[in-house]
């Protein structure tokens, strides 16, 4: 796939690097430093390059939206027409001090994004895991069981793309349902962040869901 990274920080930098190493064409965009984008592309290897958000969006099969909530309008404006584009969003609707969700309970950041760009195909994924785990999950991708990663969305094509990208990183995708389920996954992401950053084990965690079925003897 051709993947445009909108926001090349902790999330975008790591996920873009992994997808380039998994064989995708990746364009890193949206940083305050052009040099950083070029370094990311060089270090990622494969078919990675630096570009503008408009270049990242052009001909992209998938876009990763990985900016702070306060930067969404700016990056969308710079990316241009996103009609029909698959947008995998890991952005959480956080306030400026990153202490609270600005949208919750009766809606979600993901649903708000879908209203901002109604012709884009939005799927919410990757925000329930600290970015620090991505490289070790990728390195251990052939091991079983894989850690789970929940995603949700209303668009089948976008969800199919997300499933491939989630598997490429080394997670087992767990379909949480329609986009409105982001009302529950986004607060869940804060629980994971709390455990990852405030606990004494550090951020090196990724959860795994297991089904407990009643078995007949
Ligand atoms: N980090 C995590 O573990 C994690 C986990 C779950 C969800 N999330 C969510 O994922 C999203 C991205 O998080 P992140 O940690 O990757 O953020 P980040 O490291 O701050 O990356 C954001 C990117 O946006 C760029 N940017 C910021 N202001 C800009 C401006 N004025 N002009 C151009 N570029 C600008 C930054 O540029 P620079 O390169 O110059 O800094 C950086 O590349 C957020 O919504 C966050 O809530 C993050």
């Amino acid at each position: 796939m051709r993947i445009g990274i909108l926001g090349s920080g902790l999330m975008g930098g790591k996920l873009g690097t992994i997808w380039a190493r998994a064989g995708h064409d990746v364009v890193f965009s949206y940083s305050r430093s052009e040099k950083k984008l070029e370094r990311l592309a060089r270090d990622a290897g494969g078919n990675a390059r630096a570009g503008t958000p408009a270049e990242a969006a052009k001909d992209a099969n998938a876009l990763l939206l990985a900016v702070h909530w306060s930067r969404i309008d700016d990056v969308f404006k710079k990316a241009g027409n996103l009609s029909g584009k698959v947008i995998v969003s890991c952005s959480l609707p956080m306030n400026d001090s990153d202490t609270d969700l600005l949208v919750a309970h009766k809606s979600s950041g993901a649903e708000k994004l879908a209203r901002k760009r109604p012709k884009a195909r939005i799927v919410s994924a990757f925000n329930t895991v600290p970015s620090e785990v991505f490289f070790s999950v990728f390195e251990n991708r052939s091991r079983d069981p894989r850690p789970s990663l929940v995603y949700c969305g209303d668009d089948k094509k976008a969800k199919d793309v997300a499933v491939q990208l989630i598997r490429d990183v080394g997670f087992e995708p767990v379909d949480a349902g329609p986009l409105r389920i982001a009302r529950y996954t986004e607060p869940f992401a804060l629980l994971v962040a709390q455990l990852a950053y405030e606990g004494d084990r550090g951020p090196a965690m990724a959860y795994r869901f297991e089904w407990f079925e009643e078995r007949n003897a």
Side-chain angles (χ1 to χ4, degrees):
M1 277 191 265
R2 194 185 149 121
I3 303 170
I5 305 292
L6 300 176
S8 299
L10 291 171
M11 299 293 274
K14 293 191 179 85
L15 288 172
T17 298
I18 287 169
W19 289 327
R21 290 180 186 163
H24 298 290
D25 288 0
V26 171
V27 180
F28 289 99
S29 80
Y30 205 68
S31 161
R32 285 158 291 204
S33 160
E34 179 65 27
K35 280 201 170 112
K36 176 183 168 181
L37 295 176
E38 281 161 11
R39 179 175 45 75
L40 273 171
R42 207 173 39 247
D43 292 351
N47 285 324
R49 65 185 175 88
T52 63
E55 286 163 350
K58 191 171 179 287
D59 303 327
N61 305 104
L63 287 164
L64 176 76
L65 181 63
V67 295
H68 190 272
W69 193 246
S70 58
R71 307 303 316 170
I72 299 270
D73 288 335
D74 187 53
V75 78
F76 273 174
K77 196 168 138 217
K78 288 180 172 146
N81 183 3
L82 297 175
S83 298
K85 294 284 181 200
V86 170
I87 302 179
V88 179
S89 173
C90 66
S91 289
L92 292 168
M94 303 300 292
N95 63 5
D96 284 348
S97 53
D98 278 328
T99 48
D100 255 321
L101 291 168
L102 291 167
V103 187
H105 187 45
K106 293 198 169 162
S107 188
S108 60
E111 290 164 276
K112 213 162 173 192
L113 291 176
R115 285 195 295 275
K116 273 183 195 286
R117 287 292 179 279
K119 291 186 178 156
R121 301 163 152 217
I122 310 269
V123 57
S124 170
F126 294 106
N127 55 19
T128 53
V129 180
S131 66
E132 284 84 350
V133 305
F134 290 148
F135 285 130
S136 69
V137 169
F138 183 61
E139 276 153 27
N140 292 306
R141 64 195 177 282
S142 53
R143 274 198 218 154
D144 253 356
R146 290 173 153 215
S148 317
L149 196 124
V150 290
Y151 66 103
C152 61
D154 295 331
D155 185 281
K156 171 141 184 359
K157 180 182 167 190
K159 289 179 90 168
D160 288 347
V161 168
V163 163
Q164 187 184 339
L165 294 179
I166 291 167
R167 289 215 170 102
D168 285 344
V169 180
F171 291 102
E172 187 55 37
V174 176
D175 185 353
L179 201 62
R180 67 176 178 76
I181 299 301
R183 295 171 197 188
Y184 316 130
T185 59
E186 290 175 3
F188 177 71
L190 296 202
L191 167 67
V192 174
Q194 173 71 15
L195 291 170
Y197 299 110
E198 303 300 328
D200 59 5
R201 304 270 319 266
M205 67 172 290
Y207 53 81
R208 181 160 66 86
F209 292 126
E210 292 179 72
W211 303 108
F212 294 96
E213 290 168 31
E214 270 187 40
R215 288 169 195 270
N216 294 323

